[in-house]
């Protein structure tokens, strides 16, 4: 509460490399009038941990990227770490990140530092600074061209629900992964003399029952609907 204060006695220290404990020996809480109100509280004490390091170890993981292909992206690799003491090496190194869909993620690493002379795990001796590379899956660039149509006025609506698609990067390729299904809903129409755009209302790309549209960067090229005078 506002105006309350406390006094605490904390003990514990650590001088050598390794772990120690920090303990609250006593705690007194005072109200705004300086009265001891400690008995009004149910207090739980947790033991703190003291950690003295010998060296700073700095390590950086690699980055990698690819165009979405439905398979996981992972990358094993890291720079030569700085700060390792003589006869100390990294072991049990694991890169723990993979990414399959469009987006980015940090390339995490885990490891132990082992003393080759004794086989002892000495990771506790190091304050570890990790710089994570980035894993990036970029979307497939896909162009969809909406069809066009024209006719002479006859009083009936003109529609065109046709479309084509291809890779934006390489128009000679479809751009759609095997097993993926593209559906484009087109509902524009024109009845009177004139011209209007023919556009896509809804676009979906699925793999089985899974929506994978977010893994594609779509460029739309609209068509036209034209009705000419008789």
């Amino acid at each position: 509460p506002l105006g309350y204060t406390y006094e605490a006695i904390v003990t514990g220290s650590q001088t050598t490399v390794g772990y120690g404990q920090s303990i609250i020996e006593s705690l007194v809480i005072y109200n705004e009038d300086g009265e001891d109100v400690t008995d009004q509280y149910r207090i739980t004490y947790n033991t703190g941990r003291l950690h003295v390091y010998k060296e700073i170890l700095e390590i950086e993981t690699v980055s990698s990227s690819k165009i979405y292909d439905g398979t996981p992206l992972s990358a094993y690799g890291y720079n030569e770490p700085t700060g390792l003491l003589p006869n100390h090496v990294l072991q049990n190194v694991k890169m723990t990140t993979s990414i399959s869909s469009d987006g980015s993620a940090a390339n995490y690493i885990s490891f132990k530092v082992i003393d080759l002379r004794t086989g002892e795990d000495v990771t506790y001796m190091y304050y570890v600074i990790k710089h994570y590379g980035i894993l990036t899956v970029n979307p497939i660039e896909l162009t969809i061209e909406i069809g066009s149509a024209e006719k002479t006025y006859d009083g009936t609506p003109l529609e065109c629900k046709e479309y084509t698609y291809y890779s934006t990067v390489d128009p000679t390729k479809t751009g759609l992964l095997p097993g993926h299904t593209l559906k484009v809903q087109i509902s524009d129409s024109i009845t009177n003399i004139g011209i209007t755009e023919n556009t896509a209302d809804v676009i979906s790309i699925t793999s089985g029952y899974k929506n994978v549209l977010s893994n594609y960067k779509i460029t739309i090229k609209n068509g036209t609907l034209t009705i000419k005078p008789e």
Side-chain angles (χ1 to χ4, degrees):
L2 186 65
Y4 279 39
T5 59
Y6 69 89
E7 290 181 352
I9 297 176
V10 181
T11 62
S13 65
Q14 181 70 20
T15 303
T16 59
V17 175
Y19 302 108
Q21 290 185 334
S22 178
I23 300 172
I24 300 175
E25 296 286 354
S26 65
L27 175 69
V28 181
I29 300 173
Y30 302 98
N31 64 16
E32 63 271 23
D33 297 321
E35 299 170 334
D36 184 346
V37 292
T38 309
D39 60 357
Q40 297 179 17
Y41 292 84
R42 184 173 64 185
I43 302 173
T44 300
Y45 296 101
N46 293 320
T47 300
R49 188 175 78 163
L50 304 174
H51 191 172
V52 175
Y53 302 96
K54 187 174 182 63
E55 291 288 344
I56 296 175
L57 189 153
E58 197 162 1
I59 190 168
E60 180 177 359
T61 60
V62 298
S63 296
S64 184
S65 65
K66 72 172 183 178
I67 301 297
Y68 170 75
D69 62 4
T71 64
L73 170 66
S74 59
Y76 184 94
Y78 54 91
N79 70 318
E80 187 65 29
T82 61
L84 280 176
L85 296 170
N87 298 303
H88 286 188
V89 297
L90 300 188
Q91 290 188 5
N92 300 112
V93 179
K94 297 178 181 178
M95 315 299 291
T96 58
T97 305
S98 69
I99 179 172
S100 298
S101 298
D102 173 51
S104 298
N107 193 16
Y108 293 116
I109 187 172
S110 65
F111 56 83
K112 292 181 179 180
V113 182
I114 302 297
D115 188 330
L116 290 177
R117 295 167 299 185
T118 63
E120 178 189 2
D121 182 347
V122 292
T123 312
Y124 70 91
M125 298 176 61
Y126 293 89
Y127 179 80
V128 179
I129 299 174
K130 296 177 180 178
H131 302 285
Y132 297 117
I134 301 297
L135 301 180
T136 302
V137 173
N138 295 306
I140 296 172
E141 296 187 43
L142 187 71
T143 295
I144 300 174
E145 286 194 18
I146 308 302
S148 297
E150 64 177 49
K151 72 174 183 177
T152 301
Y153 175 76
D154 62 4
T156 62
L158 172 64
E159 298 178 342
C160 179
K161 299 185 181 297
E162 297 177 354
Y163 60 89
T164 59
Y165 60 89
Y166 51 85
S167 166
T168 305
V169 177
D170 183 356
T172 65
K173 298 181 179 179
T174 65
L176 206 63
L177 288 185
H180 287 191
T181 301
L182 169 68
K183 292 183 179 180
V184 180
Q185 180 177 315
I186 304 168
S187 59
D188 289 308
S189 68
I190 184 173
T191 302
N192 297 318
I193 295 170
I195 183 170
T196 188
E197 279 195 319
N198 197 25
T199 61
D201 294 324
V202 180
I203 297 172
S204 69
I205 302 179
T206 55
S207 175
Y209 294 102
K210 183 179 179 181
N211 180 0
V212 293
L213 180 62
S214 63
N215 295 298
Y216 289 82
K217 180 181 178 181
I218 306 293
T219 298
I220 301 292
K221 292 186 177 181
N222 292 331
T224 56
L225 299 174
T226 306
I227 294 184
K228 299 178 180 181
E230 294 182 83

